[in-house]
Amino acid sequence: MTEREKMLAGALYDCGDPELLRQWHRAKRLVQQYNTVDSEDLEQKDAILRQLLGGYGQDLWITPPFYVDYGNNIYFGSHCEVNMNCTFLDDNRITIGDYALIAPNVQIYTAFHPTDAAQRFGEPKEDGSFAFCKTQTAPVVIGDHVWIGGGAILLPGVTIGNNVVIGAGSVVTRDLPDNVVAVGNPCRVIRTNGGPEPGWER
């Protein structure tokens, strides 16, 4: 298996693999371009996103700055909006359904590392050169009509159902079913989505 194949399969892989680094640097160049394009130049923004992302449907709006690892593992449905300063660590696939609303400062992670410090870096290289820490991944799936509040963090491997609202500042550590409002750290369901609005955030 190539290191990219290992990465997408969730196996331990080498982040310093030359092909992965080439893709990583390419994504950083595209993101830098995107983050500096005039906000009214929709044609240029779309052209960059077509090169950067794995795929997306109609009417994608991403407010810069926007940050990714590879970009080509991110897939959006149609009619999605991502507000400023969001970070998507797409070492595995991030799949987002239709009508997603993602507030500022949301972070979506697909990468994680061994908790044992000795396992994270292994033995030092004989020549003293830098060694990337050992990494694994798990995909993140987000359904249709999902609103993710500002500053929320989604951890590797979580699946978010359809018609879900995630409160601002939440840390999502496990799957959330359809039609719920969930908040907190760790994020937990507080009611079904469709109940009374006043006071749910308390």
Side-chain angles (χ1 to χ4, degrees):
M1 297 176 74
T2 66
E3 294 305 309
R4 178 173 172 82
E5 288 171 340
K6 292 177 186 176
M7 180 178 78
L8 294 173
L12 281 170
Y13 68 98
D14 178 11
C15 300
D17 172 69
E19 176 59 21
L20 286 180
L21 281 177
R22 185 189 68 78
Q23 294 181 27
W24 189 89
H25 286 299
R26 176 181 181 273
K28 296 302 178 285
R29 286 190 294 270
L30 289 168
V31 162
Q32 184 179 44
Q33 293 172 29
Y34 186 83
N35 289 341
T36 58
V37 168
D38 187 282
S39 62
E40 294 183 311
D41 193 346
L42 302 183
E43 184 175 339
Q44 179 64 10
K45 288 166 70 176
D46 184 69
I48 295 170
L49 290 178
R50 291 289 174 195
Q51 297 177 71
L52 176 66
L53 301 179
Y56 60 93
Q58 299 177 351
D59 301 323
L60 174 62
W61 184 277
I62 299 178
T63 301
F66 176 58
Y67 304 102
V68 305
D69 258 355
Y70 299 98
N72 55 20
N73 298 318
I74 302 171
Y75 296 84
F76 284 93
S78 294
H79 316 295
C80 295
E81 180 179 347
V82 179
N83 215 320
M84 66 187 74
N85 208 42
C86 289
T87 300
F88 290 8
L89 296 190
D90 63 307
D91 302 73
N92 206 315
R93 188 175 175 120
I94 298 173
T95 305
I96 300 168
D98 297 336
Y99 294 98
L101 178 58
I102 299 177
N105 300 304
V106 167
Q107 301 168 59
I108 302 177
Y109 300 148
T110 66
F112 60 98
H113 310 286
T115 56
D116 185 330
Q119 293 180 12
R120 281 199 292 275
F121 282 96
E123 295 297 322
K125 290 188 175 182
E126 291 185 7
D127 63 2
S129 61
F130 178 79
F132 286 93
C133 64
K134 295 177 181 175
T135 306
Q136 289 179 268
T137 70
V140 171
V141 178
I142 298 169
D144 298 334
H145 297 278
V146 172
W147 173 19
I148 303 175
I153 299 173
L154 277 60
L155 296 187
V158 299
T159 294
I160 310 302
N162 298 318
N163 192 35
V164 170
V165 174
I166 297 172
S170 296
V171 179
V172 183
T173 61
R174 60 184 65 185
D175 295 353
L176 294 174
D178 295 347
N179 305 312
V180 298
V181 174
V183 301
N185 178 11
C187 190
R188 72 193 198 293
V189 174
I190 61 169
R191 67 169 172 82
T192 58
N193 195 6
E197 291 295 330
W200 70 264
E201 70 278 7
R202 293 192 293 273

